[in-house]
Amino acid sequence: MAARRGALIALEGVDRAGKSTQCRRLVEALRDAGHRADLLRFPDRTTEIGQLISSYLGREKNLEDHTIHLLFSANRWEHVPMMKEKLHQGITVVVDRYAFSGVAFTSAKGNFGLEWCKQPDVGLPKPDLILFLQLSPEEAAERGDFGHERYETSSFQEKVLQSFYCLMEDKTLNWKTVNASKSIEDLHREIKSIAEKTMQEVQNKPLEELWK
Ligand code: Z5A
Ligand code: MG
């Protein structure tokens, strides 16, 4: 019998919804419970491509809109061999943002169809679970002001949210929306329970390809 594989779990959501906080908590808790789990964050600003993306987000560098979209995607693809290896070794991989952020942010710029935005990420490892952390703009505002990076304005974030809703209509993907206005601890417990159930369900199933 083939070895059990790990699950690929993506966290998505609006700005300040608590994705990074919950990703860290989830990986820690899974490890404490005896599972093998690793965290990846997109963009991964540590690679050469990631450094270009970081200077774009920090407004030090201007890049043409198609170009930056493809760089975000390339930043995911450069991790694919390592992600597949981990998943096949039985390690659960938790990703802090994934291709859905890629599509939602670029399509929010206008002049970009959803289908064009999806193409570069077609064939990435398909997440077994996508947790969407839902938070109203008012509640997000209580968590502090926007930073100074590109995209951090309320009008743009509203368009991003609409693009996420379009992506969530795809029933071939396992989207689960969670209420991110809960306390960090309550939300963590809910996310951990959904994640463990998914890990159990997919361990003997093949890893699929996204949007294929
Ligand atoms: N982007 C793109 O355009 N294309 C792509 O392909 C990808 C990304 C992958 C950088 O992302 C930008 O890149 C992003 C999308 C774009 N642009 N924007 N906007 P990033 O992931 O580096 O962004 P970030 O700086 O990590 O912010 P974030 O992800 O929006 O925040 P978060 O991770 O969701 O939240 P957090 O850091 O965990 O928490 C925010 C604060 O709230 C913090 O003070 C917490 O302590 C607090 N918090 C968290 N949870 C709670 C609860 N439950 N209650 C109260 N307070 C809480
Ligand atoms: Mg974050």
Side-chain angles (χ1 to χ4, degrees):
M1 200 179 86
R4 292 173 182 170
R5 73 164 172 94
L8 178 59
I9 299 172
L11 269 73
E12 291 280 9
V14 294
D15 210 53
R16 289 163 297 170
K19 298 175 294 297
S20 299
T21 305
Q22 292 299 331
C23 281
R24 284 193 298 270
R25 289 296 308 269
L26 177 61
V27 169
E28 273 167 26
L30 291 177
R31 288 178 177 168
D32 288 349
H35 301 288
R36 294 164 77 204
D38 278 336
L39 174 61
L40 266 181
R41 168 181 189 172
F42 293 115
D44 173 1
R45 303 186 192 217
T46 65
T47 69
E48 280 176 62
I49 294 170
Q51 282 162 25
L52 260 176
I53 293 172
S54 188
S55 57
Y56 170 82
L57 288 170
R59 301 178 195 274
E60 293 146 40
K61 198 177 198 72
N62 281 322
L63 290 166
E64 190 275 329
D65 288 336
H66 300 78
T67 311
I68 184 64
H69 182 76
L70 296 173
L71 286 173
F72 272 114
S73 176
N75 186 230
R76 286 182 280 279
W77 278 106
E78 63 182 335
H79 289 83
V80 166
M82 180 264 286
M83 287 169 74
K84 284 187 173 168
E85 199 182 315
K86 284 182 193 285
L87 291 166
H88 291 309
Q89 284 171 354
I91 302 171
T92 284
V93 177
V94 175
V95 289
D96 183 355
R97 295 191 188 271
Y98 201 49
F100 315 99
S101 279
V103 175
F105 277 78
T106 300
S107 62
K109 291 178 175 177
N111 300 325
F112 284 89
L114 228 45
E115 284 311 310
W116 187 89
C117 293
K118 283 159 76 174
Q119 284 314 304
D121 286 307
V122 169
L124 282 179
K126 177 179 171 178
D128 299 296
L129 170 67
I130 313 153
L131 286 157
F132 187 78
L133 276 60
Q134 181 117 48
L135 190 70
S136 69
E138 297 74 30
E139 286 164 311
E142 285 168 18
R143 296 185 182 176
D145 291 332
F146 281 112
H148 299 292
E149 287 205 320
R150 230 178 267 261
Y151 305 149
E152 295 182 325
T153 65
S154 54
S155 58
F156 191 75
Q157 294 286 332
E158 180 52 42
K159 290 184 192 143
V160 172
L161 183 58
Q162 296 311 317
S163 299
F164 270 126
Y165 288 148
C166 290
L167 291 173
M168 286 159 78
E169 284 170 17
D170 181 350
K171 302 301 173 214
T172 68
L173 292 168
N174 184 22
W175 286 94
K176 288 222 163 41
T177 300
V178 290
N179 176 359
S181 68
K182 291 181 178 179
S183 73
I184 291 177
E185 201 47 47
D186 285 352
L187 184 57
H188 164 65
R189 270 195 290 271
E190 182 181 356
I191 287 177
K192 179 170 175 264
S193 144
I194 302 171
E196 283 185 318
K197 189 167 167 273
T198 303
M199 287 159 65
Q200 188 81 35
E201 284 168 1
V202 305
Q203 59 185 353
N204 295 314
K205 292 191 181 155
L207 180 65
E208 293 180 38
E209 292 177 313
L210 181 61
W211 292 322
K212 257 191 166 177

